[in-house]
Every structure is written in structure tokens, then in C-alpha cells.
Amino acid sequence: TGRNLDEVTSTSVRLAMIRRGLPLIGAEPLFGYGLTQGAGMIGISAGSMYVLDNYFLTVGLDSGLPALLGFVGLMVLLLRRASRLAVAENDSRSPLAMTLLVGLIGFLVVKVISSQTQVFPLMFVVTGLLLALSSPHDLSRVQYSRKT
């Protein structure tokens, strides 16, 4: 429910996208309909342009269930790594891990209501930082030597 007609309409349209999109994913589960084709398959337009405001639906429709499961699997792994590091006691990496965890959760919430990809480069940085933070090697003890 929304506070005004615009919010109610926005929510209704997003729910309609999900209702239309899930059966379409089931109809072409392996490969989807092709890149950038999902919005047209849903058939909801804003003016002269088809729109799809859910990144998870976009991936499922454009690339199929294997791609969607791969994306969701990667996000679950990142959430698990970040949460384990964030709650670790006496670990100097915890504050940064907590920050990355909150950013990752925010990213996923936005992906439910937006299919835009402009923030993905930032998520690549978050992914890299989480992988570096969770490295089993203590990177602070690495000694570099100069060969002359």
C-alpha cells in the first residue's frame, strides 16, 4: 500500500511485473529470451519504452535460471563472508566488513525495485574488498623485497 496514488500505482506495476515474469521464466528456463529482451516480454511500458523494475526478473528473463541462480548464489556467498567477518570478535577487519555488509544489503534491496546496472562497478569493488578481507593470509605481514 502506498501513501498516494503514484505509490499505489508503482507498487501495483511492480507486482504485475512479477506476476507476468515468473511464468515467462518458467517457459524459457535455460537460456531466457536474450539480453535486453525481458522488458519487452513483460510488456509494461513507460511511454514508448518497455520497462522492467526488478533486476532478479531481468536476469531470469534475459539469461535464464542458471544465470539467476549464479547471481543469487554469488550474493549469498558474499553476504555470508561479510556477516562472518562483521561479527568476529577481536578482529580489526570487523568494522570494514560491517560497512561492506550494509552496502551489499542496500544494493540487493535496490535491485528488487530497480534493474539499472550503473552501481555494478561499485559492487565489483565491494566483492574484491570482501575477498581480500576474508583471505586466509595475513596480508599485513607480507614482506616485499626489492631486487636490484
Side-chain angles (χ1 to χ4, degrees):
T1 64
R3 292 175 282 184
N4 57 45
L5 183 60
D6 288 337
E7 288 181 9
V8 170
T9 304
S10 176
T11 301
S12 298
V13 169
R14 285 191 172 92
L15 291 174
M17 288 176 183
I18 293 170
R19 280 193 303 272
R20 290 181 188 183
L22 292 179
L24 288 169
I25 291 172
E28 289 289 335
L30 286 180
F31 301 109
Y33 296 93
L35 292 179
T36 71
Q37 301 304 307
M41 295 304 298
I42 294 287
I44 295 175
S45 64
S48 62
M49 199 168 115
Y50 288 115
V51 294
L52 182 51
D53 287 340
N54 183 313
Y55 187 74
F56 299 96
L57 272 179
T58 298
V59 172
L61 287 167
D62 287 355
S63 303
L65 279 177
L68 178 59
L69 293 175
F71 176 71
V72 170
L74 174 64
M75 293 300 113
V76 168
L77 288 174
L78 291 173
L79 286 167
R80 285 182 62 201
R81 274 187 193 227
S83 61
R84 284 181 183 164
L85 282 169
V87 298
E89 292 184 28
N90 300 323
D91 192 334
S92 61
R93 302 173 296 179
S94 291
L96 180 55
M98 182 61 78
T99 303
L100 295 173
L101 176 62
V102 169
L104 185 57
I105 291 169
F107 169 78
L108 291 173
V109 167
V110 167
K111 293 293 103 191
V112 170
I113 61 168
S114 172
S115 201
Q116 296 177 345
T117 58
Q118 288 88 343
V119 295
F120 272 94
L122 180 60
M123 288 316 302
F124 296 144
V125 172
V126 168
T127 300
L129 284 170
L130 280 171
L131 292 174
L133 278 177
S134 60
S135 171
H137 306 290
D138 184 358
L139 299 177
S140 66
R141 295 180 186 221
V142 174
Q143 295 181 351
Y144 298 96
S145 63
R146 263 189 156 169
K147 292 185 179 183
T148 55

